[in-house]
Structures are given as structure tokens and as C-alpha cells.
Amino acid sequence: MKIDLTKLTIIEASEGLKNRDFTSVELTKAFLNKIKEKDKEIKAYITVIEEIALKQAERADKMIKNKEIYPLTGIPCAIKDNILIKDIKCTASSKFLENYIATYNATVIEKLEKMGAVFLGKTNLDEFAMGSSCENSAFFTTKNPRDLERVPGGSSGGSAAAVAADMCIYALGSDTGGSIRQPASFCGITGLKPTYGTVSRYGLIAFASSLDQIGPLTKNIDDAKIVFDAIKGSDPMDSTSVNLEKKNNLSKLRIGVPKEYFAKGLDGEVEKSIKEAINIYKELGAEIVDISLPMSEYALACYYIIAPAEASANLARFDGLRYGKTIKDEEAEKIIDIYLKNRTAGFGKEVKKRIMLGTYTLSSGYYDAYYKRALKARTLIKQDFEKAFEKVDVIIGPTAPCLPFKIGEKSDDPMSMYLSDIYTVSVNLAGLPAISIPCGKSQSGLPIGMHLIGAPFEEEKLLSIASLFEKKYDNK
Amino acid sequence: MISEEEIRKIAKLSYLEIKDEEIDEIREKFSSILEYVKKLQELDISDVPETANLSKTENVFRGDIAKEKEVEDLLSALSRKKDNYMQVKKILYNED
């Protein structure tokens, strides 16, 4: 029987490559064919780089022949289109960067390339990673492979959909307020947001620099660990990056269940599924500890001050001079005309709104009432978690309060869209690692994701605790 | 609700133009978010320190040594250039 190569995990594919069951070129062609066949419908990719992918696969095959084998050698992956690959178009799903060609590699790309990775292409996102559904892409909306009428989540929706539809083995995404974990949950796959600072952000198009973090979207937890290990590490090009990983010292497993995560606004089916997952942990011998994170209800408000404030500063670089060009020279007389006309034509509605929101909360007269207050609230949110982690190893809850919603369902109501990130944003504000893994399905067959949050730099422990559940859940 | 005047002022500070027909929608959506984030006013935070970032806040130094960079690649992204310089429109003018 011929196996479907596109269904393999990283570990399985790597075994196959090592044993010479197939070559990286064969594996890569299988994915390119799958993309041709399925992506017309799903629209996960903005750019597919077939020729480059095949060249990288040939190189990987040579490495394997020479016994220079890393866990990701010859493994085809997808990269969110806000992470730079030299000489490849990088759009951030914005009109502004429609024709922008990256002039250097992101550090994560550099690391993967050294290991002989194969890049299939760049995936869709909400413009500049601002959104929760991929509907804010300036080009098109990606569909959820589990139900084509629904959103894949966002902002790393293209990456999540590509993994879920077997159009790559794994993908990289970025997470500012839930942008890896929420789409992983919606598409029924695994998504890890590492501790702030563990993965270099050099070459990631910045949204909110104190919150952004690159991480993997994969088919299971072991794969997430492989990709995380490959991309982590301090980098002289990112002064916030560090080498601080802590060893797993788990003895008696204690899992914290915050009462605030099961309050009103949570979908009944999601709640049931998470409670069943908690029971599985109980059966596995874990101590379940009721905890409280009283600041939870303020996290989203805090996030919607801090993230737009940082975005308004980061996006000031898009001036129509150094990046992108949408207007003709004759249309501008003074330099300010170039700024105004390019920014007005280049940015989409949501991005403009967030730039303006950030400008407002940072402006004279409002700074203390909004931005400064949010920075103080952020301290309290961080302290909430610090107190909790004195008592427990991980915190469990739902990744999103709702099931994947229909395309168009929330696009006119910003607050209802923002609320889909209510459980994930606090993790970015506190800089913690967290993972979303599949834990069940709704009656209608839609995926439900469970969210496990760890203490800073305790990825190893977090992943091992997540694995305990995954093994049990797969066997059911 | 936030006033039209304020929205126009923020737009100017943000280097964005707003069309007249967009004003109402922007005011409405902007206000709904501002209304939501007002929630933070409930908190007593007078003695709480601020957390602006989570990094170790240490300087990263390097030697003051010039490095060759691929200037061509960087210049290729510019919309207007002359020799190895970015060319821009008039930067000194009287405000209207």
C-alpha cells in the first residue's frame, strides 16, 4: 500500500527520509501537488515558491546522503507571511507591502535553512497580524479546512489551515494576543506560543513588540517541541531574546483551574469538553487545584490599549518611501503628501483603526488615563499568574470561548471579534508560554482547543504535561 | 461618543486621511472600544509599578566596526532614489 506522504508528522517523515523510504524531493512534490489540488478552495497560501522548495529539497537529499541529518532536514513547511525570507515577497497581507521583496532572512528562517528545511510558501494572515479570523487580509479570506463556511481563526489562520489541510507538515506563526493558539484551536491542530524572549523576533514584521512571539503550528506536541527546539535561542539581532529555558522538574502534577475561565460568555460545548479534559488529568493522578485570576476580566481592555499603542509606533515606518509605493510622484508636492496618501491607500480599515487608537491613547492628555493605566494593569495581570504558579504547574482552560465562527459572522462587530481572544491575551501581557491542543469536537464536528499555560521558560514542563493528555486522548 | 473634531485630530497625528463619509463609522467603532477599555478605571492602581516590557533591559553592545551590507537590495525597495540616496519631496514648507 502506498502511504499518503502529506499525512505524516515531522517524526514520521524524518524517519522515512532517514530510511530512504522516500526522498525530500518526493515528499515536497507530494505537498506541492496537495497545494495545487486543495488551496484553490482553502486559500491558505499567499505565495507558493515551488522552484525554491524543490531546490531546497534536493539540497536536503544531499545532506541526508552525507548523513548530515537534523530533525527538520528535508521537511516541508509553511511560513506566515509576516516573517521574512530573503528574496521572497513578504506582504503581511497588506496592500502596503503587496510587492515588497524581503532583503534579509529572519533569524528563525536562517536557523531552519541551516538544518536543511524546505519552505513551500508564505501563508495568509490578518493584515499586519491584526485580527482573529483572517478576514482582515487585504487579499482574501482563508477558509477553515474542517468547515469551509467558517473562519480558520487568526491571525495565523493561513498557517493553521495549511497544517490542518495537509498542505505542509508544520508551519510558523506569530502570536501577539492569541494569533497562534486561537487558529490552532479553530483548525483542530497544535499551536505553541513560547515565553517572550525565547525565540528571536528579528525579521518578524513588528505589530506590538512587547507582546509578539514566533512559534510553531503542528500536527502534535512532539512536532511542536522539535520546531521550538530548532528556532529558539538568544540572538544578537534581538536584544530581548534570551537563553533561559528551565529543565522539567515535575514531580507531583498540580493543575490550576481558574474560576474566571468558566464564567459567562463561554460556549456550553466548549466548557463541557474542557471539563472532560480536566477529568482525564484527574484520572492520570493530577491534583486539580481551584485557583483565581481576578485580573482576567481586565486583560482584554489592557491589551486593547497596549497593543494598538505599540502598533501605532511600529507602523510609523510605513511612509511610502522605504516600503511600498501606491501613489504616483505627481500626486504629491510635499513630503507629508507622500505619507498621507500612501498610508491612507496602503492600510486596511482595521489597521487604520488600531493606529488611530494607539495614537489617541499615547497622545498628550490621554496618556495617563489610558496607556499608563494599562501598563499598571499589566503588572497586576503578571502578578496574578506569579501567585498562581506558586501553587500549580500549569493552568488549564479553553483556548477560545466560542467554536469557529462563520465567515462574516463577526466582521462588523469589533468587540465580539476581540472577545474570541479573551483567554489568550493575558498570556502575552505576562509573557508566558502556552499551548493549544485539540481536546474534543462539538456535536456538529467543529474542533475544540484546550489551553495550557506554563510559568516563564518552562516550555519543557508545559509540553510534557500536554503530552500526557494527548496520549490519552488519541487512544480514546 | 468621541467628537468628529477629535477623530480628525487623531487622524492627522497618525498621518491618515479620512473621508467625510467614513467619519460616522469610525467614531462609532472607536467609541465602542474606548467604552470597553474604560473598564480599567475601576482598578485602584495608584501604588502599582508599570510594566512596559518583559525583557531583561540590558544594553547589547558591539564594536564600532563598519560592515558591508547589500546596499543594492535595500535601495531596490525605495520608491525614488538618486545615486545611493533616497530621494524625497520638499520637507520644508509653510503649513497651510
Side-chain angles (χ1 to χ4, degrees), chain A residues 458-475:
Chain A
E458 291 193 350
E459 275 81 358
E460 208 177 290
K461 191 200 263 185
L462 173 70
L463 292 168
S464 80
I465 294 169
S467 279
L468 292 173
F469 175 84
E470 189 186 58
K471 283 186 196 114
K472 204 78 181 165
Y473 176 66
D474 274 350
N475 291 338

Side-chain angles (χ1 to χ4, degrees), chain B residues 42-64:
Chain B
E42 297 166 9
L43 294 168
D44 177 16
I45 47 156
S46 40
D47 297 329
V48 180
E50 296 164 24
T51 300
N53 68 71
L54 303 157
S55 53
K56 55 189 172 170
T57 54
E58 278 170 19
N59 277 324
V60 177
F61 294 103
R62 63 168 174 79
D64 187 15

